[in-house]
Amino acid sequence: LHRVDRRQRQMCIRDSAPSVRAAVESLQAWVESVRADFRSVTLLGFSQGMAMAMSLLRLDPAAYACAVGLSGFVADPDRAEPELATFFDRDDEVARVRPKVFWGRGQEDPIISEARVEATHGWLNRHVDMTKIVYAGLGHAVHPQELTHVVQYLDQVVPGKA
């Protein structure tokens, strides 16, 4: 097994900004290609998948019923990376729309750094209508109780779901 030290895990996104942008654009194009087949679209992502889900939400905040992020983070929440600053230029609109977001994470997560957790928490507080649950003793994983909470959340916020 390859062991990654803490500094490597906290590597700046700038090293992969073009790949981040390409991945988000590709996913956004796919969502747009299938959107008409569904009453609504909800985003859900685990770990880096949460970063993808939040990125899609930042590009078109009114397009989704809600988003669920599990054990993850918001990519470049302070728009500090030059290659992503103009990509995520609708954060003011996100704050006006205040989309609904469920954020669940483990209190003992060794993968998502405390700095990323704090930056994500700040961005979510400023921009979305957030429901946040921190699971004691949980690492970088999804707990069955968390899945129960996600189902309850979706039943409450997704139109036509309840």
Side-chain angles (χ1 to χ4, degrees):
L1 290 175
H2 177 69
R3 187 176 182 99
V4 178
D5 69 24
R6 184 173 185 87
R7 195 168 137 235
Q8 288 173 313
R9 279 199 315 260
Q10 294 175 346
M11 178 181 66
C12 289
I13 200 168
R14 91 176 52 106
D15 298 330
S16 58
S19 297
V20 169
R21 186 173 182 146
V24 172
E25 287 173 335
S26 177
L27 183 57
Q28 183 183 32
W30 177 81
V31 169
E32 289 305 317
S33 76
V34 299
R35 177 183 299 284
D37 297 336
F38 301 91
R39 285 187 310 236
S40 68
V41 177
T42 295
L43 303 169
L44 185 146
F46 170 78
S47 193
Q48 290 180 343
M50 178 181 169
M52 293 291 287
M54 296 302 107
S55 294
L56 289 179
L57 194 68
R58 292 171 82 180
L59 297 179
D60 194 355
Y64 302 99
C66 69
V68 175
L70 307 174
S71 296
F73 58 95
V74 173
D76 197 27
D78 300 319
R79 297 180 51 215
E81 297 302 332
E83 292 188 53
L84 294 177
T86 57
F87 189 55
F88 295 131
D89 62 356
R90 298 179 74 182
D91 281 357
D92 289 344
E93 182 180 347
V94 178
R96 279 191 301 280
V97 172
R98 300 220 38 101
K100 295 186 178 302
V101 172
F102 177 97
W103 183 31
R105 64 178 206 82
Q107 188 175 27
E108 306 299 324
D109 190 333
I111 303 300
I112 308 301
S113 71
E114 191 59 36
R116 278 223 169 124
V117 169
E118 289 173 15
T120 295
H121 189 233
W123 188 90
L124 291 170
N125 274 329
R126 291 187 308 274
H127 295 89
V128 305
D129 178 2
M130 175 177 55
T131 297
K132 174 186 164 192
I133 302 178
V134 178
Y135 298 90
L138 183 64
H140 193 67
V142 178
H143 190 277
Q145 182 184 27
E146 186 175 22
L147 292 177
T148 299
H149 291 151
V150 169
V151 170
Q152 291 168 345
Y153 180 80
L154 293 174
D155 283 343
Q156 290 176 5
V157 303
V158 175
K161 174 92 172 74

